[in-house]
Amino acid sequence: MRLLRLVPLLTLLGLPLQSPAQDAPATDVPPQEELVQEELVLGLSQNRVAITANFDGSEILIFGAVKRAGPQLSPGADVVITVEGPTESVAVLRKERRAGIWVNTDQVTIHQAPSFYAVATSAPLEQVLTATEDLRQRISIPRAVRSISSRDEVTDEDSFVEALLRIRQGAGLYQMREGTVRFDEQTLFRTEVPLPSSLPVGLYTVKVYLLRNGALASKHETAIRVGKVGLEQWLFALSRENAVIYALMAIVVAVLSGWAASEGFRLLRRQ
């Protein structure tokens, strides 16, 4: 009864009536922030590498920019660039010394190994790329080598893969170039990738990855063609298309070279 008598009194005094659930002041919920939409733009100093008789290596310049729409939420970004040559099947043999001679004992076949592979990063790879993203995108050099088969008695296949990586890194065919990508103002980037003189021919794939917090934010891909030109290209095509004619020509050239060398020494002895 006392509560019923207080209601008209509060109404006359102009005080609002609120339930306990309405006592908490209302707060404004901030609008959801717009996500960053980014797109990579890539350029190459050359899209074709010509291998001639005096080819002793080359260098390719890779440059580009990040086109961004919307506000920038996270300032930290990294770029990883890979240059991958045609894949090939490689048989890796293990030699052991038996009875005083070296013989091949075990063999592991790597069915998909890049003939050339280079990785250039704007920072150390382990800092800009998570293991999960590396497994998904196959960016690092060990992840680029895949599809391995061996005999049942071989239990250490990883050692064969490590041997292949070590040999090709020594030849300049596998390159890990951390910190060589110059990334300015979170927009422009560029790097140079050296190409060795033993560069295999074929179609090369250039991939650029934009990473944020170790995860892939954007990706762009283009291609470079590496091929022989002039006399080298003609001989290469002849060896593949007409092996018999190529072998006969090689024999004739060898015979003529031997005859010319013997005649030259004979003339020198007469003097």
Side-chain angles (χ1 to χ4, degrees):
M1 295 294 294
R2 293 179 178 178
L3 180 62
L4 293 177
R5 292 176 182 176
L6 289 174
V7 171
L9 181 59
L10 293 174
T11 305
L12 292 175
L13 295 176
L15 299 176
L17 297 178
Q18 293 182 350
S19 61
Q22 297 175 342
D23 291 342
T27 57
D28 295 333
V29 178
Q32 186 176 6
E33 295 181 348
E34 184 181 355
L35 296 178
V36 177
Q37 296 179 355
E38 296 168 314
E39 180 183 357
L40 285 169
V41 180
L42 181 64
L44 303 173
S45 59
Q46 53 183 340
N47 56 10
R48 181 178 178 85
V49 178
I51 299 179
T52 59
N54 56 353
F55 180 78
D56 57 353
S58 182
E59 187 179 70
I60 181 171
L61 172 64
I62 303 173
F63 57 92
V66 180
K67 295 175 59 178
R68 184 179 296 108
Q72 183 177 350
L73 298 183
S74 55
D78 294 281
V79 170
V80 176
I81 301 175
T82 63
V83 181
E84 181 177 359
T87 58
E88 57 186 4
S89 180
V90 182
V92 183
L93 303 174
R94 172 187 288 164
K95 290 186 177 182
E96 293 183 0
R97 190 177 182 87
R98 294 182 178 178
I101 59 175
W102 291 94
V103 295
N104 296 327
T105 55
D106 298 326
Q107 175 177 331
V108 170
T109 302
I110 303 174
H111 297 283
Q112 295 184 7
S115 56
F116 176 86
Y117 196 75
V119 182
T121 66
S122 57
L125 186 62
E126 60 181 7
Q127 296 181 10
V128 304
L129 180 66
T130 62
T132 302
E133 199 67 42
D134 188 19
L135 182 62
R136 184 183 296 114
Q137 302 295 333
R138 296 187 178 275
I139 296 177
S140 64
I141 296 177
R143 293 295 183 187
V145 178
R146 52 193 182 272
S147 183
I148 303 171
S149 64
S150 62
R151 301 171 184 172
D152 296 336
E153 60 270 15
V154 178
T155 59
D156 56 340
E157 295 178 344
D158 293 339
S159 62
F160 287 81
V161 177
E162 293 174 359
L164 176 66
L165 299 183
R166 184 175 63 255
I167 293 172
R168 293 200 166 180
Q169 285 176 346
L173 295 175
Y174 287 175
Q175 304 176 14
M176 186 66 204
R177 303 176 54 79
E178 294 180 314
T180 59
V181 178
R182 293 174 291 279
F183 199 26
D184 301 327
E185 301 296 334
Q186 298 292 311
T187 302
L188 305 175
F189 61 88
R190 59 174 291 168
T191 188
E192 298 86 16
V193 176
L195 304 176
S197 58
S198 57
L199 191 67
V201 299
L203 189 64
Y204 286 58
T205 303
V206 180
K207 297 180 181 179
V208 180
Y209 304 88
L210 178 65
L211 302 171
R212 289 190 178 275
N213 299 322
L216 181 66
S218 183
K219 177 181 176 182
H220 188 76
E221 181 177 329
T222 188
I224 302 174
R225 181 168 295 278
V226 177
K228 299 179 183 293
V229 296
L231 180 61
E232 290 75 16
Q233 173 62 23
W234 182 77
L235 292 175
F236 179 78
L238 183 64
S239 64
R240 297 299 179 90
E241 299 173 1
N242 298 285
V244 176
I245 298 178
Y246 179 81
L248 293 175
M249 288 181 57
I251 293 173
V252 171
V253 170
V255 171
L256 292 177
S257 299
W259 175 80
S262 63
E263 288 295 319
F265 282 113
R266 186 174 61 85
L267 294 175
L268 289 176
R269 286 196 299 267
R270 287 184 177 180
Q271 294 178 357

